[in-house]
Amino acid sequence: MLADSFWVMLLLLILSIILAIRLKEQKSRFVVIFAIIFGFMGDIFLGLSAPWRTYAGGVSFFIEHCIFIGLLIWSIKRENLKIFNIPFIIGIVIFVATLITMEVLAFTVVKEPNTLLAILTSFYILAISTHIALNFSYSSQKKGTYYLYALGILIFFATDVWVFLEILGITNFMSKYIWYFYQIGQLLLILFNNDLVFKPKNTTKIN
Protein backbone atom coordinates (compact mmCIF):
# COMPACT_ATOMS: atom_id res chain seq x y z
CA MET A 1 0.00 0.00 0.00
CA LEU A 2 2.76 2.42 0.94
CA ALA A 3 5.08 1.33 -1.89
CA ASP A 4 2.47 2.23 -4.53
CA SER A 5 2.35 5.87 -3.46
CA PHE A 6 5.78 6.44 -1.88
CA TRP A 7 7.39 8.23 -4.82
CA VAL A 8 4.40 10.50 -5.34
CA MET A 9 4.46 11.29 -1.62
CA LEU A 10 8.19 12.00 -1.80
CA LEU A 11 7.77 14.36 -4.75
CA LEU A 12 4.98 16.20 -2.94
CA LEU A 13 7.18 16.40 0.15
CA ILE A 14 10.01 17.97 -1.85
CA LEU A 15 7.56 20.41 -3.44
CA SER A 16 6.19 21.33 -0.02
CA ILE A 17 9.69 22.01 1.32
CA ILE A 18 10.58 24.13 -1.74
CA LEU A 19 7.42 26.18 -1.20
CA ALA A 20 8.16 26.52 2.50
CA ILE A 21 11.65 27.81 1.74
CA ARG A 22 10.03 30.59 -0.30
CA LEU A 23 7.94 31.79 2.64
CA LYS A 24 8.25 35.55 2.97
CA GLU A 25 8.18 35.30 6.75
CA GLN A 26 11.71 34.07 7.39
CA LYS A 27 11.00 32.97 10.97
CA SER A 28 8.31 30.61 9.69
CA ARG A 29 10.44 28.77 7.16
CA PHE A 30 12.24 26.23 9.32
CA VAL A 31 9.25 25.79 11.61
CA VAL A 32 7.00 24.93 8.65
CA ILE A 33 9.63 22.59 7.17
CA PHE A 34 9.86 20.91 10.57
CA ALA A 35 6.09 20.41 10.53
CA ILE A 36 6.16 19.08 6.95
CA ILE A 37 8.77 16.46 7.85
CA PHE A 38 6.69 15.23 10.79
CA GLY A 39 3.68 15.00 8.48
CA PHE A 40 5.68 12.92 6.00
CA MET A 41 6.90 10.66 8.79
CA GLY A 42 3.28 10.17 9.85
CA ASP A 43 2.42 9.03 6.33
CA ILE A 44 5.32 6.57 6.34
CA PHE A 45 4.47 5.15 9.77
CA LEU A 46 0.80 4.63 8.93
CA GLY A 47 1.76 2.90 5.70
CA LEU A 48 3.79 0.25 7.52
CA SER A 49 2.43 -3.07 8.73
CA ALA A 50 4.04 -2.85 12.19
CA PRO A 51 1.69 -3.05 15.21
CA TRP A 52 2.95 0.31 16.51
CA ARG A 53 2.27 2.14 13.25
CA THR A 54 -0.93 3.79 14.51
CA TYR A 55 0.77 5.22 17.61
CA ALA A 56 3.87 6.45 15.75
CA GLY A 57 1.82 7.96 12.93
CA GLY A 58 -0.58 9.63 15.37
CA VAL A 59 2.25 11.18 17.40
CA SER A 60 3.91 12.52 14.23
CA PHE A 61 0.69 14.13 13.02
CA PHE A 62 -0.03 15.43 16.53
CA ILE A 63 3.31 17.27 16.56
CA GLU A 64 2.64 18.65 13.07
CA HIS A 65 -0.75 20.02 14.14
CA CYS A 66 0.70 21.56 17.29
CA ILE A 67 3.30 23.40 15.17
CA PHE A 68 0.62 24.74 12.83
CA ILE A 69 -1.50 25.75 15.84
CA GLY A 70 1.43 27.77 17.18
CA LEU A 71 1.94 29.43 13.78
CA LEU A 72 -1.75 30.30 13.52
CA ILE A 73 -1.89 31.86 16.97
CA TRP A 74 1.25 33.84 16.15
CA SER A 75 -0.21 34.99 12.80
CA ILE A 76 -3.54 35.99 14.36
CA LYS A 77 -1.87 38.04 17.07
CA ARG A 78 0.65 39.59 14.68
CA GLU A 79 -2.09 40.72 12.31
CA ASN A 80 -4.37 41.93 15.12
CA LEU A 81 -7.17 39.52 14.20
CA LYS A 82 -9.75 37.83 16.41
CA ILE A 83 -9.50 34.24 17.56
CA PHE A 84 -13.06 33.67 18.72
CA ASN A 85 -15.76 34.04 16.06
CA ILE A 86 -18.47 31.93 14.42
CA PRO A 87 -16.06 29.92 12.20
CA PHE A 88 -14.02 29.13 15.33
CA ILE A 89 -17.18 27.83 17.03
CA ILE A 90 -17.90 25.68 13.96
CA GLY A 91 -14.47 24.12 14.43
CA ILE A 92 -15.31 23.35 18.07
CA VAL A 93 -18.59 21.72 16.99
CA ILE A 94 -16.65 19.55 14.54
CA PHE A 95 -14.37 18.53 17.42
CA VAL A 96 -17.22 17.52 19.75
CA ALA A 97 -19.14 15.65 17.04
CA THR A 98 -16.04 13.80 15.82
CA LEU A 99 -14.85 12.91 19.30
CA ILE A 100 -18.21 11.43 20.30
CA THR A 101 -18.56 9.52 17.02
CA MET A 102 -15.05 8.06 17.11
CA GLU A 103 -15.26 7.03 20.75
CA VAL A 104 -18.60 5.32 20.18
CA LEU A 105 -17.21 3.48 17.17
CA ALA A 106 -14.04 2.51 19.05
CA PHE A 107 -15.99 0.88 21.86
CA THR A 108 -18.91 -0.61 19.93
CA VAL A 109 -17.60 -1.71 16.54
CA VAL A 110 -14.25 -3.10 17.70
CA LYS A 111 -14.52 -6.49 19.38
CA GLU A 112 -11.62 -5.80 21.73
CA PRO A 113 -11.57 -2.05 22.46
CA ASN A 114 -8.16 -0.50 23.02
CA THR A 115 -8.50 2.01 25.87
CA LEU A 116 -5.02 3.49 25.33
CA LEU A 117 -5.72 4.03 21.64
CA ALA A 118 -9.05 5.65 22.50
CA ILE A 119 -7.36 8.07 24.93
CA LEU A 120 -4.59 8.97 22.47
CA THR A 121 -7.19 9.40 19.72
CA SER A 122 -9.04 11.88 21.95
CA PHE A 123 -5.90 14.00 22.36
CA TYR A 124 -5.23 13.83 18.64
CA ILE A 125 -8.78 14.88 17.75
CA LEU A 126 -8.40 17.77 20.20
CA ALA A 127 -5.22 18.89 18.41
CA ILE A 128 -6.56 18.70 14.86
CA SER A 129 -9.88 20.28 15.89
CA THR A 130 -8.03 23.19 17.52
CA HIS A 131 -6.11 23.49 14.27
CA ILE A 132 -9.40 23.50 12.34
CA ALA A 133 -11.01 26.08 14.63
CA LEU A 134 -8.05 28.46 14.41
CA ASN A 135 -7.74 27.87 10.67
CA PHE A 136 -11.42 28.69 10.14
CA SER A 137 -11.13 31.79 12.33
CA TYR A 138 -8.04 33.02 10.46
CA SER A 139 -9.25 32.18 6.95
CA SER A 140 -12.68 33.77 7.47
CA GLN A 141 -11.04 37.07 8.38
CA LYS A 142 -8.43 36.99 5.62
CA LYS A 143 -10.98 35.80 3.01
CA GLY A 144 -10.21 35.39 -0.70
CA THR A 145 -7.71 32.63 -1.45
CA TYR A 146 -7.40 31.87 2.25
CA TYR A 147 -10.56 29.80 1.96
CA LEU A 148 -8.37 27.31 0.10
CA TYR A 149 -6.18 27.31 3.19
CA ALA A 150 -9.26 26.19 5.15
CA LEU A 151 -9.91 23.55 2.51
CA GLY A 152 -6.42 22.18 3.16
CA ILE A 153 -7.13 21.39 6.80
CA LEU A 154 -10.56 19.95 5.91
CA ILE A 155 -8.92 17.53 3.46
CA PHE A 156 -6.37 16.62 6.13
CA PHE A 157 -9.17 16.06 8.67
CA ALA A 158 -11.30 13.97 6.29
CA THR A 159 -8.28 11.80 5.52
CA ASP A 160 -7.66 11.27 9.25
CA VAL A 161 -11.24 10.07 9.70
CA TRP A 162 -10.81 7.84 6.67
CA VAL A 163 -7.68 6.25 8.16
CA PHE A 164 -9.37 5.81 11.55
CA LEU A 165 -12.30 3.97 9.97
CA GLU A 166 -9.84 1.74 8.14
CA ILE A 167 -7.96 0.97 11.37
CA LEU A 168 -11.24 -0.01 13.00
CA GLY A 169 -11.93 -2.33 10.07
CA ILE A 170 -15.09 -0.47 9.07
CA THR A 171 -13.93 0.30 5.53
CA ASN A 172 -10.95 -0.07 3.21
CA PHE A 173 -12.56 1.81 0.34
CA MET A 174 -9.86 3.31 -1.92
CA SER A 175 -7.36 2.96 0.94
CA LYS A 176 -4.33 3.18 -1.35
CA TYR A 177 -5.28 6.75 -2.29
CA ILE A 178 -5.37 8.04 1.29
CA TRP A 179 -1.74 9.10 1.27
CA TYR A 180 -2.18 11.38 -1.74
CA PHE A 181 -4.89 13.36 0.04
CA TYR A 182 -2.64 13.98 3.06
CA GLN A 183 -0.05 15.59 0.83
CA ILE A 184 -2.63 17.61 -1.13
CA GLY A 185 -4.05 18.99 2.13
CA GLN A 186 -0.57 19.87 3.33
CA LEU A 187 0.25 21.65 0.07
CA LEU A 188 -2.85 23.83 0.44
CA LEU A 189 -1.84 24.65 4.02
CA ILE A 190 1.51 25.91 2.76
CA LEU A 191 0.41 27.53 -0.49
CA PHE A 192 -2.28 29.72 0.99
CA ASN A 193 -0.70 30.90 4.22
CA ASN A 194 2.01 33.40 5.16
CA ASP A 195 1.41 35.37 1.94
CA LEU A 196 3.37 32.77 -0.02
CA VAL A 197 1.62 33.22 -3.35
CA PHE A 198 -0.99 35.92 -2.89
CA LYS A 199 -0.56 39.19 -1.04
CA PRO A 200 -3.00 39.71 1.86
CA LYS A 201 -5.74 42.30 1.68
CA ASN A 202 -6.78 44.63 4.48
CA THR A 203 -4.07 43.38 6.80
CA THR A 204 -3.56 45.46 9.94
CA LYS A 205 -0.01 45.55 11.22
CA ILE A 206 0.87 46.01 14.85
CA ASN A 207 3.36 48.77 15.50
Side-chain angles (χ1 to χ4, degrees):
M1 178 172 59
L2 178 62
D4 295 336
S5 57
F6 176 79
W7 293 110
V8 175
M9 288 166 52
L10 184 60
L11 288 173
L12 289 172
L13 169 71
I14 294 172
L15 176 59
S16 296
I17 291 177
I18 291 173
L19 290 171
I21 291 173
R22 293 180 55 222
L23 284 171
K24 294 181 180 179
E25 189 63 55
Q26 188 173 5
K27 294 180 180 178
S28 300
R29 292 176 187 172
F30 294 107
V31 178
V32 171
I33 292 173
F34 193 59
I36 291 171
I37 292 174
F38 271 102
F40 180 72
M41 288 170 57
D43 289 335
I44 297 298
F45 287 140
L46 288 179
L48 300 176
S49 57
W52 45 264
R53 72 186 185 101
T54 303
Y55 300 99
V59 169
S60 296
F61 285 133
F62 179 83
I63 294 173
E64 179 184 22
H65 287 304
C66 287
I67 293 172
F68 275 114
I69 287 170
L71 285 172
L72 274 167
I73 293 174
W74 175 68
S75 296
I76 290 172
K77 289 185 176 181
R78 181 192 61 173
E79 299 180 34
N80 199 25
L81 301 175
K82 296 179 180 178
I83 289 181
F84 301 102
N85 54 18
I86 293 178
F88 182 89
I89 294 174
I90 292 174
I92 298 301
V93 171
I94 290 176
F95 158 63
V96 174
T98 304
L99 179 61
I100 293 174
T101 302
M102 292 304 169
E103 295 299 339
V104 169
L105 287 174
F107 285 97
T108 57
V109 176
V110 181
K111 295 181 180 179
E112 297 180 3
N114 187 326
T115 304
L116 176 60
L117 181 59
I119 293 173
L120 294 176
T121 299
S122 299
F123 279 104
Y124 180 77
I125 293 174
L126 175 61
I128 190 171
S129 299
T130 302
H131 188 177
I132 290 174
L134 289 169
N135 182 304
F136 283 7
S137 174
Y138 183 71
S139 300
S140 66
Q141 294 174 82
K142 299 286 283 187
K143 301 181 180 181
T145 54
Y146 282 84
Y147 288 123
L148 292 173
Y149 177 57
L151 177 62
I153 190 60
L154 280 178
I155 292 175
F156 209 112
F157 176 74
T159 309
D160 277 341
V161 173
W162 197 347
V163 169
F164 187 76
L165 293 176
E166 185 184 69
I167 290 173
L168 293 180
I170 296 175
T171 181
N172 60 355
F173 177 67
M174 295 178 67
S175 60
K176 67 179 181 179
Y177 298 109
I178 289 176
W179 320 108
Y180 300 131
F181 285 98
Y182 268 128
Q183 300 301 322
I184 291 172
Q186 186 164 262
L187 277 174
L188 289 175
L189 288 175
I190 299 168
L191 272 172
F192 298 100
N193 190 19
N194 286 292
D195 312 330
L196 178 62
V197 179
F198 301 95
K199 294 182 179 179
K201 297 179 180 180
N202 301 324
T203 299
T204 303
K205 293 185 178 180
I206 301 175
N207 295 324

